[in-house]
Amino acid sequence: MTSTSTKAPGAPPPPALWPDVLAAYAMPALTAGLAGAVTRQPQLVAAALTTIAGTSALVAAVLGAVLRRRPAHTLPGRTRPARPPRPLAAAGLGLAAAVLGLASGLAAAHWLPQVPAFSDSAWPRRLPVDLPVSAAIAATVTAWRRLPAAPRPVRNTP
């Protein structure tokens, strides 16, 4: 069984994914948790440690893994597909993640109150806001860090 590598020969290995996932969990947990503690909102503190930071870490892990597996070179005889500029690609991936997060949040907010354990909880009502915001921020930051910048044009100066 042979394995095919997606990196160019002699290219350095892609950076590790775990620091991005750890930061994607820690930063929202810290900021939203601190905001909840300062404003005395225990439901925000709980959401910061679960749905907000958890969604962010999950999106960073999945998107980072997908972008890491992307081929770094073109096969002989094939042309490289045109790539959008990094800001546009990051914004597009952030928007796509927000849409998926909103759909997930709306579905969960509809179905979770029917579960007896969550029937009196305010937590499911937070999901349509927590999930898309967390997913959008995590996807945008992860895409910005993982997508290559456009090559700078070479100037011929005498």
Side-chain angles (χ1 to χ4, degrees):
M1 174 156 67
T2 62
S3 80
T4 58
S5 175
T6 58
K7 72 178 191 89
L17 184 57
W18 71 265
D20 290 352
V21 175
L22 181 62
Y25 181 86
M27 293 302 109
L30 182 65
T31 56
L34 186 59
V38 167
T39 59
R40 293 189 173 121
Q41 297 180 51
Q43 71 277 9
L44 180 56
V45 174
L49 299 173
T50 56
T51 56
I52 295 172
T55 300
S56 183
L58 179 66
V59 168
V62 170
L63 182 59
V66 168
L67 293 177
R68 185 181 172 122
R69 291 193 164 274
R70 202 172 28 93
H73 65 285
T74 317
L75 296 174
R78 293 189 157 196
T79 59
R80 183 178 209 140
R83 289 188 176 156
R86 183 166 61 170
L88 183 62
L93 288 169
L95 182 62
V99 168
L100 289 173
L102 179 62
S104 300
L106 289 171
H110 176 73
W111 293 106
L112 282 177
Q114 297 176 14
V115 176
F118 298 116
S119 62
D120 295 333
S121 175
W123 175 69
R125 290 191 302 271
R126 294 187 56 88
L127 295 178
V129 174
D130 290 350
L131 298 186
V133 172
S134 302
I137 293 170
T140 302
V141 170
T142 301
W144 186 267
R145 288 182 39 82
R146 295 275 169 179
L147 290 173
R152 295 185 182 266
V154 178
R155 293 186 180 173
N156 293 332
T157 56

